[in-house]
Amino acid sequence: MKKRLYILLSIVLILFGILIYRLADIQLFSTKSFGPDNVNLLERSVAQRSHQMVLSTGRGQILSRQGEPLTNKKIFDIILFPKLNAEQTYKKISGVLNISAQSLQKKIHNLDQPAFLTSLMDTSIKSEQFNELKKMDLKGIRLMERFKNEDPQLAQHLLGFVRQNPALYQKRYDENSQKETVPVGISGLQEAFDPFLVAQEQEKLLFHVDGHGRPMFGFDLKYAGDNNHFYPAKIKTTLDVPLQKKAEDLFNQYEVNQGGLVLLDVQSRDVLAMVSRPNVDTENPYGNDSIRNHTITADFPGSVFKTVIAAAAIEKGLVDEPRSFNCSKGVYGEEEADRDLGRLNFKQSFAQSCNRTFAKLALELMESDRQIIDKYAKKLGIIGPVGWSGDVFRYEDFTQIPDEEQGTIWADESDRHVKDAIFQTAIGQKNVKVTPLAAANMMANIANNGKRQDARIADQILYQNGAEMASFSQKNNKDKEQQISPLTAKRLRSLLKLVTGNSGTASTLGELPIAGKTGTAELNIDDDEKIEFENSWFVGYFPEKKPKYAMAVVDLRHKPGAQTHHLQIYKKMADAILKKNE
């Protein structure tokens, strides 16, 4: 029994000795190189007591034409710490911010690490509230200004989205580094200008905490970040925030399921507003193709395309003499038309959108030149792409709208020789597709005496300190062979005004100084005779006498006969702009 006791005591002493040695090794002998992995225990100990709050991902901002940040907006915030007994502080904060003190204290009690108040309570802090809080003696919190990175609520499709995508980062920048975890632009301007906007380094606030996550205020808060005054850059867009908000409010009001709006400045071709529906599913942007921007997607324009046939017919002298067309007949000249319009001259045919007139004119034009429709579509700029492109900074052939689709006229070259195919093409059916952006730009070309220009979404690239890195100067197409004549543009303007007149297809817009063209395209999804969907368009410019704005509004893929609101949206948008400029 005594011998067993000695053996047990010896084992305990040996184990105790091993434990003492292990502790000594950890705390004294191997603090900088512990174990087979040579772990620096001192650094790990500091890291365990350290915490960081990201103030900015470091990504560049996108600005409105007024210089207002549209992404990475700077906000006022408060850092809250867990398990702090600061009841009076939280009551003061609740009083200033007009939030529930009980709810705030409950959420703070459940914290296991520091958090931003705006994220915790899903609220915002105004500048006057922030300044009021700064004057108070608030213990246990930190007042901060930071950049909030979130998906855009305004102009979603135009601005685009940012996501983490290591494979895309490596493909785009061909780098093997930790920067592969940096978020990249996956759509819109975020994608187009990603090389200028991509983050260089995060901005962080570093501090120490105790074992409960509470701050050790004996240590100074430290800032870690990139103090580069040049990068990342800022992109100053042409977007007019009040007009963008007005356009989006109208689309929400009328609950447009699929469609869009483009508003251009006629002289500069700046994109002032761009709306696409449906809204993007932020949880799954590519699900149901919600990330698609319908204003730069080519679709069937219907009678909007008759503007091209009209321009060609005017310049080729087919409508100079008095001439009438049988508009009681359908597009092929054999069947009865859906609308019995009787015999109409060229101007009346355009105003009332007579299919037979433009089918007949297109056939006559094609008999003399099989390329003529293509030529005039190009002269008017309706086929596109029309987004600004050129050399900028260190990039050649830079494109502001890389996802813009190019329109089409013919899918099969043999259709140029098929009468029925020509008839359908003349009225914007068959294989004719254009984007709303290109259609709006065509109207701007006509309103500006036929002068072709690119549509511009960004005006400048600015360094971080606000100095100009590059600008996107507008380029006029000076080749007169590539545009319609001023006289043709003038005659087209008179036709477009008739459309909104008393007998026109958009007479509901007549009380405002608007000129333009309606379009309805019929879509047969299964190649049978049944019409599955329709596209409804109105593209035009205003004010009619001295045009300043060109705009396209489209309601896409709606059921035949369904109530559409594209004309109401156009009217209310134009009315708001005209009243603003009075």
Side-chain angles (χ1 to χ4, degrees):
M1 190 69 182
K2 188 175 182 180
K3 185 178 180 180
R4 289 180 180 177
L5 186 60
Y6 284 139
I7 292 173
L8 181 60
L9 182 60
S10 298
I11 292 173
V12 171
L13 289 174
I14 292 171
L15 292 175
F16 186 72
I18 292 173
L19 180 60
I20 294 296
Y21 175 79
R22 185 67 169 176
L23 290 173
D25 188 38
I26 293 173
Q27 296 188 9
L28 300 175
F29 307 139
S30 303
T31 55
K32 295 184 179 180
S33 181
F34 178 76
D37 296 328
N38 296 318
V39 176
N40 190 319
L41 296 176
L42 294 177
E43 289 183 356
R44 289 289 182 90
S45 175
V46 172
Q48 192 175 21
R49 298 193 306 272
S50 299
H51 199 85
Q52 62 183 29
M53 304 289 285
V54 177
L55 302 180
S56 171
T57 62
R59 188 170 179 83
Q61 293 177 304
I62 299 178
L63 313 175
S64 70
R65 70 187 296 110
Q66 295 92 350
E68 177 184 349
L70 300 173
T71 62
N72 295 4
K73 296 180 180 179
K74 181 174 280 191
I75 65 170
F76 302 105
D77 218 329
I78 301 173
I79 300 178
L80 303 171
F81 299 92
K83 298 179 177 62
L84 276 181
N85 186 18
E87 183 177 347
Q88 293 304 315
T89 293
Y90 301 139
K91 286 184 177 180
K92 290 178 181 178
I93 292 174
S94 301
V96 173
L97 302 184
N98 195 27
I99 58 178
S100 168
Q102 184 178 1
S103 177
L104 176 61
Q105 284 183 285
K106 183 178 179 180
K107 290 197 174 187
I108 292 173
H109 179 74
N110 294 328
L111 284 178
D112 56 5
Q113 61 183 2
F116 288 115
L117 182 141
T118 58
S119 299
L120 191 68
M121 299 296 292
D122 191 23
T123 187
S124 61
I125 302 175
K126 298 177 181 178
S127 59
E128 55 269 23
Q129 293 172 328
F130 190 76
N131 291 330
E132 185 176 349
L133 290 171
K134 286 174 67 176
K135 298 175 183 177
M136 296 180 176
D137 181 23
L138 302 176
K139 300 184 184 300
I141 57 101
R142 281 289 183 268
L143 299 172
M144 293 298 305
E145 293 182 37
R146 69 182 180 100
F147 290 93
K148 189 173 184 179
N149 299 286
E150 58 185 0
D151 291 332
Q153 301 301 310
L154 189 72
Q156 288 185 324
H157 298 83
L158 171 61
L159 298 178
F161 289 76
V162 177
R163 294 290 186 270
Q164 279 196 349
N165 190 326
L168 180 58
Y169 183 94
Q170 187 173 11
K171 178 182 177 181
R172 191 173 289 174
Y173 300 109
D174 193 27
E175 291 186 14
N176 293 310
S177 69
Q178 294 181 349
K179 283 190 175 182
E180 290 179 17
T181 61
V182 172
V184 293
I186 62 170
S187 67
L189 296 182
Q190 293 282 19
E191 177 186 11
F193 289 89
D194 195 59
F196 301 98
L197 296 170
V198 69
Q200 305 297 311
E201 186 177 346
Q202 288 185 338
E203 295 180 46
K204 305 173 185 177
L205 193 66
L206 308 176
F207 50 90
H208 290 80
V209 295
D210 60 19
H212 297 287
R214 296 174 298 200
M216 299 169 66
F217 290 111
F219 294 90
D220 293 332
L221 298 179
K222 293 184 178 180
Y223 169 84
D226 190 357
N227 292 316
N228 193 322
H229 295 293
F230 298 99
Y231 297 101
K234 300 177 183 179
I235 310 302
K236 186 179 180 185
T237 70
T238 61
L239 191 69
D240 188 298
V241 171
L243 295 181
Q244 180 70 27
K245 287 181 178 178
K246 177 64 178 179
E248 298 210 12
D249 287 344
L250 288 171
F251 269 72
N252 293 336
Q253 176 186 340
Y254 287 104
E255 299 180 343
V256 177
N257 293 321
Q258 186 171 317
L261 174 151
V262 180
L263 176 66
L264 301 177
D265 183 291
V266 167
Q267 294 300 320
S268 66
R269 303 302 165 89
D270 288 347
V271 177
L272 302 177
M274 180 179 280
V275 178
S276 180
R277 288 292 183 272
N279 284 319
V280 180
D281 179 357
T282 57
E283 296 299 322
N284 183 18
Y286 294 99
N288 299 320
D289 210 22
S290 68
I291 204 168
R292 178 183 293 274
N293 186 344
H294 287 285
T295 64
I296 58 174
T297 299
D299 217 319
F300 300 99
S303 295
V304 168
F305 196 73
K306 290 174 183 175
T307 310
V308 175
I309 308 302
I314 289 170
E315 293 204 344
K316 296 304 176 182
L318 299 184
V319 293
D320 286 343
E321 71 283 354
R323 184 180 180 185
S324 65
F325 302 84
N326 186 1
C327 291
S328 295
K329 295 294 182 181
V331 64
Y332 303 109
E334 300 171 356
E335 76 287 6
E336 296 298 318
D338 294 335
R339 297 176 296 148
D340 186 1
L341 301 174
R343 297 198 69 85
L344 302 177
N345 62 27
F346 175 63
K347 289 183 178 180
Q348 293 168 331
S349 295
F350 192 89
Q352 298 191 47
S353 202
C354 170
N355 287 340
R356 182 59 189 157
T357 299
F358 290 90
K360 189 172 179 60
L361 288 173
L363 183 62
E364 293 176 15
L365 289 165
M366 290 291 287
E367 286 174 346
S368 61
D369 183 355
R370 296 294 173 183
Q371 303 294 325
I372 194 165
I373 294 180
D374 306 68
K375 291 176 182 177
Y376 276 86
K378 185 176 182 180
K379 285 187 175 187
L380 287 169
I382 195 173
I383 295 302
V386 299
W388 193 100
S389 62
D391 298 341
V392 59
F393 198 56
R394 300 171 184 171
Y395 294 88
E396 295 181 359
D397 299 323
F398 182 84
T399 302
Q400 289 190 0
I401 317 174
D403 294 328
E404 179 189 5
E405 293 184 359
Q406 184 167 343
T408 59
I409 301 177
W410 313 97
D412 190 332
E413 284 296 309
S414 64
D415 284 347
R416 298 177 188 270
H417 305 275
V418 179
K419 184 185 296 185
D420 287 358
I422 294 172
F423 290 161
Q424 284 290 314
T425 299
I427 63 172
Q429 296 275 177
K430 189 62 175 174
N431 296 301
V432 178
K433 287 187 176 183
V434 302
T435 69
L437 175 62
N441 199 49
M442 174 183 72
M443 288 294 158
N445 292 335
I446 295 170
N448 201 24
N449 291 318
K451 295 178 181 177
R452 283 176 53 199
Q453 290 178 248
D454 292 335
R456 184 173 59 179
I457 290 183
D459 178 36
Q460 291 177 300
I461 302 176
L462 305 173
Y463 287 112
Q464 189 63 216
N465 61 7
E468 182 180 288
M469 177 193 298
S471 63
F472 299 93
S473 57
Q474 193 53 273
K475 307 182 294 294
N476 293 323
N477 190 323
K478 297 181 180 180
D479 186 354
K480 293 184 178 181
E481 294 297 320
Q482 296 298 318
Q483 57 191 32
I484 59 174
S485 70
L487 180 59
T488 300
K490 182 178 180 180
R491 293 188 64 179
L492 285 175
R493 289 197 295 273
S494 67
L495 293 175
L496 294 167
K497 181 55 184 172
L498 292 174
V499 173
T500 57
N502 292 333
S503 60
T505 54
S507 58
T508 57
L509 302 179
E511 57 192 74
L512 294 177
I514 299 172
K517 185 72 186 78
T518 55
T520 301
E522 299 174 342
L523 287 71
N524 301 321
I525 303 300
D526 297 323
D527 294 328
D528 57 17
E529 295 183 358
K530 183 181 179 181
I531 300 172
E532 297 287 345
F533 298 102
E534 289 181 346
N535 290 343
S536 297
W537 296 60
F538 188 81
V539 297
Y541 57 85
F542 54 93
E544 182 262 328
K545 291 185 177 179
K546 294 182 179 180
K548 292 183 178 180
Y549 306 96
M551 186 165 67
V553 177
V554 294
D555 190 343
L556 303 172
R557 301 294 197 277
H558 58 79
K559 289 292 183 180
Q563 184 178 11
T564 60
H565 302 287
H566 60 296
L567 292 179
Q568 292 98 317
I569 292 174
Y570 203 105
K571 184 176 182 179
K572 289 190 176 183
M573 189 70 187
D575 188 40
I577 295 170
L578 292 168
K579 285 180 178 177
K580 179 182 176 182
N581 293 331
E582 285 181 352

